[in-house]
Amino acid sequence: MALSWLPTIIFLLIFLFPALVESAIRHYNFTVVLKNTTKLCSSKSIVTINGKFPGPTLYAREDDNVNVRVINKVQYNVTIHWHGMRQMRTGWSDGPAYITQCPIQPGQSFLYNFILTGQRGTLLWHAHISWLRATIHGAIVIWPKKGVPYPFPKPYKEKLIILGEWWKADTEAVINQSMQTGLPPNISDSYTINGYPGPVPGCTSQGYTLHVEAGKTYLIRLVNAAVNDELFLKIAGHNLTIVEVDASYTKPFTTDTIFIGPGQTTNALLTTDLQTTGKYLIAVSPFMDTIVAVDNLTAIAFLRYEDTLAFPPPVLTTTPAINATSETSKFMDNLRSLNSKKYPAKVPLTVDHSLYLTIGVGINSWPTCVNGSKAVGDINNVSFVMPSTALLQAHYYNISGIFTNDFPGNLPVPFNYTGNFTGGISTSNGTRLYRLAFNSTVQVVLQGTGIIAPESHPIHLHGFNFFAIAKGLGNFDPKNDPKKFNLVDPVERNTISVPTGGWTAIRFRADNPGVWFLHCHLEVHTSWGLKMAFVVDNGKSPDESLLPPPSDLPKC
Ligand code: C2O
């Protein structure tokens, strides 16, 4: 008798108290498999998730608990990183191999488990070991909590555009050969737009089409999952209004060109014309304002209005010059945090740790390499050596001898970082971390150097968002440059371009205990050692402490 009331009670609980069911658990299965993809017009097999390229999109809502079981069915060790996810106290699920976990070995699996606290927007996931992210990547879409609107007009529809980079050769062979010879890796054969390359000589790819209706506003969620290149995107005859980057809302600004580095994401509103039909070119081209070789082919797709004739002549557009530095700085200068009442920019106003980190690529002599030397990447002249067991475990279990806490926060001997180098700067190797107390505030001036050639570096920090408070050309001036720091509404993100021959200053609060990787998101530079990590201690209370490791955490 009493039990017959049960359905009514459940009904009342669910519909009258929606808060009880608002945050859901979302389950995903990611199986790592080999796949031939005709999109890439070659018979070579690539490593994918669930046979898809790009991989499946992970859809969730702010505050959801996400569970992803990753089952490794290929011959490579694999890990997956949820790029830009804060991973509050769940560093075990962050994913960079040998930093937070040992890799998932062939035949093994691991359950990534984390909560999307206080985040909404577009991010990406990707493999985080060697160069497997070339083909193992996909988008993460986090909608606002139920009933919470976007802080911009509601779009009619949402569209994802994922940019990538494709080699005809096996990318693991490309990077292994480079590491053995000490020479730069071969450049890619094409950029991809939602998995379609093009145009590539000898390859007829049908390409991607963005289908739209007239007189509507679309939310474009753009992801740069390329391996080594910063990119421009333009759509002929249409402007884009930027409303969010790296899952943080921005003040809206309108542009005809998007600049996006690998690991970055951008949400933009696209309003279609009222009475138009036709086909418009979407062009994706690289940015490189120095002497480094990059794949200089423009990838194309089309925006197509419905009711368009079968074969209309497309409306074309020009791409920015490959070295269009002014275009990139204009774009970055326009990015500001929304900084509204609801979404305030919580910029740290005081600084406990002030770091000055030089980032660059140099040459070390290395007798076994082709020219007797090899390229090295470094931060403050330390080229990071990957350990053979995961740093987070070493930290949690207090295993000594895996890393040291003495990463230099400043260079002992300053030099003219962006000047012309004659002699060499010698680099040391080490697994050195910078230690931070829980909740301390950190300012990092990232100073590009010009040891071989100055280059723009998209620097990514795991575990935190930071505020990009200023940037400039040449060497950072500690006397005068702080006067131009924006502590009011600087853009909040997880990956930032440090300009060629210049610097960028960022601030963050170390409110997430664990071991957090900082590296250049040009994968070739990470391979060469342009990386380091922070270790953030637990706070006083249990809810300020790293959770215990999951029982299925892979072993090295
Ligand atoms: Cu998207 Cu450590 O990387």
Side-chain angles (χ1 to χ4, degrees):
M1 192 61 189
L3 270 184
S4 65
W5 285 96
L6 206 55
T8 321
I9 291 172
I10 291 174
F11 174 88
L12 285 172
L13 279 176
I14 291 179
F15 290 95
L16 299 182
F17 303 101
L20 289 178
V21 289
E22 191 154 86
S23 91
I25 304 186
R26 308 223 179 212
H27 295 277
Y28 293 86
N29 271 327
F30 277 22
T31 308
V32 193
V33 289
L34 287 170
K35 163 88 177 170
N36 290 326
T37 163
T38 49
K39 275 187 187 172
L40 289 175
C41 53
S42 93
S43 56
K44 184 183 62 110
S45 55
I46 58 168
V47 194
T48 61
I49 298 294
N50 301 356
K52 293 198 168 134
F53 178 71
T57 301
L58 199 147
Y59 291 97
R61 248 180 223 291
E62 180 178 350
D63 287 352
D64 278 358
N65 181 349
V66 174
N67 278 220
V68 190
R69 176 163 305 284
V70 177
I71 304 160
N72 183 2
K73 293 203 173 154
V74 296
Q75 75 275 33
Y76 302 109
N77 284 345
V78 174
T79 68
I80 304 285
H81 168 51
W82 318 92
H83 179 121
M85 291 283 178
R86 293 289 320 273
Q87 300 286 2
M88 293 303 284
R89 303 171 56 215
T90 54
W92 308 106
S93 286
D94 189 39
Y98 303 107
I99 305 295
T100 59
Q101 68 165 104
C102 296
I104 308 167
Q105 294 172 15
Q108 312 266 298
S109 74
F110 177 51
L111 181 72
Y112 290 89
N113 179 8
F114 47 91
I115 295 176
L116 308 181
T117 317
Q119 292 191 280
R120 49 350 253 165
T122 307
L123 292 168
L124 69 156
W125 56 264
H126 61 75
H128 209 309
I129 183 164
S130 190
W131 276 26
L132 289 184
R133 76 176 174 88
T135 55
I136 300 190
H137 61 247
I140 302 173
V141 171
I142 315 168
W143 294 303
K145 285 188 247 195
K146 268 228 166 75
V148 176
Y150 292 125
F152 46 81
K154 187 173 192 281
Y156 170 63
K157 276 187 182 153
E158 302 192 358
K159 303 271 186 180
L160 263 175
I161 299 184
I162 301 172
L163 309 178
E165 200 174 355
W166 171 65
W167 279 256
K168 288 180 183 164
D170 175 356
T171 44
E172 288 306 283
V174 171
I175 182 59
N176 288 342
Q177 185 196 27
S178 161
M179 295 306 278
Q180 269 154 28
T181 58
L183 301 172
N186 294 339
I187 57 169
S188 56
D189 294 295
S190 174
Y191 299 109
T192 55
I193 303 177
N194 282 348
Y196 293 101
V200 184
C203 163
T204 42
S205 156
Q206 76 181 79
Y208 168 70
T209 302
L210 178 69
H211 293 277
V212 295
E213 296 167 39
K216 305 274 191 214
T217 296
Y218 292 83
L219 179 65
I220 307 289
R221 295 176 177 270
L222 179 67
V223 173
N224 184 351
V227 178
N228 293 322
D229 292 313
E230 297 179 295
L231 297 168
F232 292 116
L233 176 137
K234 268 179 99 173
I235 303 180
H238 293 77
N239 279 330
L240 296 152
T241 300
I242 312 300
V243 290
E244 182 227 294
V245 293
D246 295 3
S248 297
Y249 292 129
T250 63
K251 292 199 171 69
F253 84 92
T254 301
T255 177
D256 64 355
T257 306
I258 290 181
F259 171 56
I260 186 166
Q264 294 185 324
T265 53
T266 303
N267 279 6
L269 298 172
L270 165 93
T271 301
T272 53
D273 293 336
L274 217 64
Q275 265 153 11
T276 304
T277 61
K279 196 172 155 185
Y280 295 79
L281 187 75
I282 302 175
V284 171
S285 63
F287 167 62
M288 179 53 70
D289 58 352
T290 179
I291 54 168
V292 176
V294 291
D295 170 2
N296 197 6
L297 281 172
T298 300
I300 58 168
F302 291 99
L303 175 145
R304 187 187 180 101
Y305 284 77
E306 69 171 6
D307 303 329
T308 294
L309 300 173
F311 299 107
V315 178
L316 301 179
T317 184
T318 53
T319 53
I322 186 163
N323 60 355
T325 314
S326 57
E327 197 68 59
T328 65
S329 56
K330 189 174 81 190
F331 186 85
M332 290 192 283
D333 289 342
N334 276 321
L335 288 176
R336 299 283 157 144
S337 277
L338 180 59
N339 192 28
S340 63
K341 231 191 184 140
K342 185 136 202 244
Y343 304 101
K346 294 184 187 155
V347 191
L349 298 178
T350 56
V351 170
D352 300 323
H353 295 259
S354 181
L355 281 69
Y356 188 67
L357 304 183
T358 62
I359 52 179
V361 171
I363 298 269
N364 274 7
S365 74
W366 205 266
T368 55
C369 281
V370 171
N371 296 332
S373 64
K374 68 169 184 179
V376 285
D378 69 82
I379 301 183
N380 275 359
N381 293 353
V382 183
S383 191
F384 191 86
V385 177
M386 288 307 251
S388 50
T389 190
L391 297 176
L392 188 60
Q393 277 155 292
H395 165 59
Y396 187 82
Y397 292 111
N398 258 317
I399 308 171
S400 61
I402 311 290
F403 66 84
T404 55
N405 284 319
D406 60 349
F407 189 90
N410 283 278
L411 268 187
V413 189
F415 60 94
N416 179 10
Y417 311 105
T418 51
N420 286 324
F421 287 88
T422 40
I425 300 278
S426 66
T427 317
S428 64
N429 296 326
T431 310
R432 297 166 71 179
L433 272 55
Y434 192 94
R435 188 160 217 129
L436 294 167
F438 179 80
N439 224 17
S440 51
T441 52
V442 189
Q443 173 176 300
V444 186
V445 175
L446 298 157
Q447 173 70 60
T449 67
I451 294 177
I452 307 181
E455 199 175 329
S456 168
H457 296 280
I459 298 292
H460 172 46
L461 176 62
H462 288 228
F464 303 95
N465 281 344
F466 52 74
F467 293 94
I469 58 175
K471 69 175 175 51
L473 291 180
N475 298 336
F476 175 73
D477 172 356
K479 251 225 178 81
N480 293 306
D481 285 331
K483 291 178 195 152
K484 45 182 197 201
F485 284 176
N486 173 5
L487 302 178
V488 178
D489 63 351
V491 69
E492 179 179 351
R493 49 190 333 170
N494 61 59
T495 306
I496 186 84
S497 277
V498 178
T500 301
W503 56 272
T504 294
I506 62 170
R507 280 192 190 181
F508 66 97
R509 178 177 292 280
D511 57 357
N512 195 6
V515 174
W516 304 108
F517 210 11
L518 175 127
H519 61 93
C520 181
H521 218 278
L522 305 181
E523 206 54 45
V524 54
H525 292 170
T526 311
S527 304
W528 287 343
L530 210 172
K531 49 196 171 189
M532 58 83 75
F534 289 99
V535 52
V536 179
D537 286 316
N538 284 339
K540 288 204 185 77
S541 70
D543 63 354
E544 296 171 346
S545 300
L546 178 66
L547 290 167
S551 57
D552 61 341
L553 191 70
K555 295 198 173 52
C556 283

